[in-house]
Amino acid sequence: LDEIEWLWNEDIRNRQMVQGFLKDKSIGDKRLASMPDRITNTIHLADGSTLKRPTVINAFAGSALSSTELWWEAWKKFMFHTKVEISFGNCETKHQMVWSLIGPIPRSKYPAITPEEQAISVQLQILYLAILDAVFVFIANRVAPGRWEKVRQNLCEALIYNKDGRVCDILATSYKEKRIVFLQEASAAFVHKARNHRGLTDTFKIMLPTTFNGKRGQNSIILVSRAAFDISTAADVTDKVLGHIDGNFLEAGDLFALRIDDVGGQGYLLVSFHGDSNGLSTRPVLEGLHAAFVKRFSGNVFIAGIDANTSSQASDKFHHGVRDFRALLERQGMVSVWDKADDRMIATTCSARTSLQMQLNKAVSFKNRFSMANMSLKDWIL
């Protein structure tokens, strides 16, 4: 903690809230605030309920956000004195303190972080998360005291409450004729909801990797049609595929490889994969998938659904561009559902950030929500 105290006294405490913190691009590049927020924002518990961090940027309910002083007491209690039971998706559960859910940030996956910061990255994340939440509580109560909470409540009702249930309803209706559905960033709570959704489980078998990570909530899973596939032939071959991927940048649940036969006896290698935010892990993963297919699974049909996080506007070594990705597919002998369509004409994401998030420099006003949105071709079926 000596290094953290030194950083606080010599640097961080002297910064301005907006220009020195919220608009500091390096904090976003290093994931020092976004990563711990993702893990602790809304924690999905083993019993199916959720626990929310006291912050303006989630659906936390209570009077603790009405002042900075009340919030700080509630935040410390939540982070350092609350024990939670987390499900890992395979009937295994674990009790641990909230702060211990936050893991180190690997430089191999996020190269912007320095070796020194990596060594103390857990402590840094907790510090930056506390600052982030404090800034938002201060601003909300200064700008719209007594009024901002109603606005947030309306947003939560429209976008957050029962989100997993609505996703299951959509899959069970709009996608009921599909043979395969690839999902990424699935939480243990979503899997619990899906397994208890009669319409969904009547149509699909929900397949999980043995490395399913209930803590991170960022798991790649696959739904296969019960009518189209022989479920008894399904086998998790993730370890066999990982053996052909160079590097140590994947975390448990990022990739799931499934070998299965259809009802006619044709074998399939199905892969669901979630890449890092800048798409840099996508290249070695695809190269490894190609090697695994050639050496181990060449008699099967290969189909992959991946969140490659490719960028149509990639312009530096820290991002994987769509043009480079297409060239990689061609070298590997793979084809995509997009074929050779101009990526400027198609996009699978349209993301415009509000001002209530980790990187204020990326905020977009409502009137510019389309013209200044991050629109890219990030998702692929190969």
Side-chain angles (χ1 to χ4, degrees), residues 153-194:
Q153 180 65 23
N154 291 339
L155 288 171
C156 291
E157 290 175 354
L159 301 173
I160 297 177
Y161 298 145
N162 196 34
K163 178 182 178 181
D164 288 342
R166 292 201 302 273
V167 171
C168 290
D169 290 340
I170 292 170
L171 290 172
T173 53
S174 300
Y175 292 85
K176 65 181 179 181
E177 301 299 328
K178 303 303 179 184
R179 299 178 69 199
I180 309 164
V181 178
F182 298 102
L183 299 177
Q184 290 87 39
E185 298 191 79
S187 67
F190 171 79
V191 170
H192 176 79
K193 181 76 71 172

Side-chain angles (χ1 to χ4, degrees), residues 233-248:
T233 65
D236 183 347
V237 294
T238 304
D239 285 345
K240 292 182 174 64
V241 169
L242 289 176
H244 294 273
I245 298 175
D246 295 329
N248 185 30

Side-chain angles (χ1 to χ4, degrees), residues 29 75 85-86 103 207 209 212 296 305 351 375:
D29 292 339
W75 197 94
E85 184 180 11
I86 304 297
M207 310 300 298
F212 188 92
R296 290 176 174 265
S351 175
M375 301 177 68

Side-chain angles (χ1 to χ4, degrees), residues 109 220 238 241-251 254-257 269 271-276 279-293 302 304-308 320 325 328-329 332 334 382:
K109 192 170 184 178
S220 297
T238 304
V241 169
L242 289 176
H244 294 273
I245 298 175
D246 295 329
N248 185 30
F249 45 82
L250 295 182
E251 298 189 50
D254 283 346
L255 184 144
F256 176 36
L269 176 63
V271 178
S272 183
F273 169 64
H274 164 240
D276 63 291
L280 298 181
S281 64
T282 302
R283 179 189 300 275
V285 166
L286 252 63
E287 291 172 343
L289 288 176
H290 178 264
F293 178 78
F302 172 80
I306 67 173
D307 174 4
H320 194 174
F325 184 73
L328 173 63
L329 293 181
Q332 302 296 335
M334 297 181 182
L382 310 176

Side-chain angles (χ1 to χ4, degrees), residues 130-143:
I131 296 171
L132 177 81
D133 287 340
V135 168
F136 282 142
V137 169
F138 177 83
I139 291 176
N141 285 297
R142 177 63 65 91
V143 172

